[in-house]
Amino acid sequence: MTAVGAVVVNHDAGDTLLRCIASLRHEGVDELVVVDNASTDGSADRLVHADEGVQLVRAGANLGYGRAANRGMRLLGTPFVLVANPDLLVHEGALARLAAVLEADPTLAIAGPKLLNEDGSRYPSARRFPSWTDAAGHALLGTWIPDNPFSRRYRMSDLEASEVTPVDWVSGACFLARAEVLRELGGFDERYFMYMEDVDLCWRARLAGHGVVHVPDAVVTHLQGLSTARHPYRMLAAHHRSALRFAARRTRGWKRLALPGVALVLGVRLVLSMGRQLWTERMGASRPAD
């Protein structure tokens, strides 16, 4: 297998970070860098004691996902780079399978695995760049009616691929990429603090003529939402701000006249999402303890 280096961005991931690193070690990564975004839960210190071979970068502040990942990528010297969240469990053979796909086709730049939720259901980690209609429909209905047709098309809910499938973009929670292409593209756009940096990277890769694929027989389990759960309102705001940034970057010509409308739709969605979060918190606080 072509040498693979991994960069993991950590922020208060707790013991899931140790589980993630152990699974990567089991998969035989050649180099391993963890960039710690000013964690306060002691996870970085526990990692040092658990795995002395990890190159730990203490950022000193929360740099955001893309900026921290870029910092880690620059320290790797391998032809292939795995970018990963700290709350992952990489299943046996997943890394070798992703590497084999890139090795077999030099036109491919990024390969994403099948991501599973903790309950074994598939997380929609391979998606389309949405049309204006699907983007608006998903923004307004996705939170409240997840199975609406707009969200289904955007999330590729019908994807039941048994073989490598070209897609528009794959989740930044976990993907394998060619280091030379990451250098060519300048890595993640660091103007995205959190969310959409993966969409933007795949969009730029495809514009440059590189392929992006979903690899269903490379499997990774993802424990989602650790940082989001600790800072829900900040993460909601970051998500919507990033969505608007990507819309502005992707839109050309006369279609830019629609950007104020996009901002309005995203603003409405943000208010609704924050309202739902507040309602959930209050309902949870009102329930008697088990």
Side-chain angles (χ1 to χ4, degrees):
M1 184 176 73
T2 300
V4 174
V7 55
V8 178
V9 177
N10 179 55
H11 179 66
D12 290 339
D15 289 336
T16 61
L17 172 64
L18 302 183
R19 184 180 70 170
C20 174
I21 296 304
S23 70
L24 288 172
R25 287 297 192 198
H26 183 73
E27 285 296 281
V29 293
D30 297 274
E31 299 178 26
L32 187 49
V33 176
V34 173
V35 181
D36 185 69
N37 272 344
S39 294
T40 59
D41 65 349
S43 54
D45 295 326
R46 292 196 294 275
L47 174 63
V48 171
H49 292 295
D51 191 328
E52 296 180 355
V54 170
Q55 185 172 356
L56 177 65
V57 178
R58 297 183 187 268
N62 190 347
L63 305 180
Y65 190 75
R67 185 179 175 191
N70 285 348
R71 188 166 176 178
M73 290 177 200
R74 288 193 287 268
L75 299 176
L76 295 173
T78 53
F80 291 164
V81 173
L82 184 81
V83 178
N85 280 10
D87 50 357
L88 300 177
L89 179 63
V90 182
H91 293 216
E92 185 172 357
L95 193 57
R97 177 60 181 140
L98 292 171
V101 168
L102 293 186
E103 287 171 338
D105 188 345
T107 69
L108 301 180
I110 300 173
K114 177 193 285 186
L115 285 186
L116 300 180
N117 298 308
E118 277 193 290
D119 62 3
S121 60
R122 184 178 74 85
Y123 176 76
S125 58
R127 306 192 187 189
R128 297 182 175 95
F129 298 132
S131 65
W132 284 103
T133 301
D134 286 346
H138 171 70
L140 294 175
L141 299 177
T143 301
W144 306 93
I145 311 174
D147 200 39
N148 70 81
F150 309 106
S151 296
R152 286 184 60 82
R153 281 193 293 269
Y154 165 54
R155 291 172 171 165
M156 299 185 71
S157 298
D158 57 346
L159 180 65
E160 294 295 342
S162 58
E163 57 187 27
V164 177
T165 304
V167 295
D168 285 344
W169 65 276
V170 294
S171 172
C174 184
F175 66 75
L176 187 69
R178 295 185 188 277
E180 61 181 348
V181 174
L182 292 175
R183 288 191 294 269
E184 172 192 332
L185 299 174
F188 288 114
D189 185 334
E190 297 182 4
R191 290 174 295 180
Y192 296 90
F193 177 77
M194 191 77 171
Y195 302 109
M196 303 299 290
E197 66 282 315
D198 44 8
V199 187
D200 180 274
L201 179 71
C202 291
W203 179 71
R204 289 185 287 123
R206 287 171 58 85
L207 282 180
H210 304 294
V212 177
V213 292
H214 170 66
V215 185
D217 51 346
V219 182
V220 173
T221 295
H222 186 201
L223 173 63
Q224 300 179 67
L226 293 179
S227 295
T228 302
R230 293 186 180 93
H231 309 286
Y233 299 101
R234 183 184 182 189
M235 293 299 100
L236 283 170
H239 193 172
H240 289 76
R241 184 166 56 246
S242 293
L244 181 59
R245 180 179 295 280
F246 180 68
R249 181 166 201 170
R250 180 186 177 192
T251 307
R252 296 288 185 270
W254 64 268
K255 291 184 178 180
R256 292 187 66 84
L257 296 174
L259 288 176
V262 174
L264 177 62
V265 169
L266 288 172
V268 170
R269 185 178 191 269
L270 176 59
V271 171
L272 292 174
S273 298
M274 287 187 167
R276 182 183 184 186
Q277 176 65 31
L278 181 60
W279 173 259
T280 300
E281 291 175 358
R282 289 186 174 179
M283 290 299 293
S286 67
R287 291 173 186 155
D290 293 333

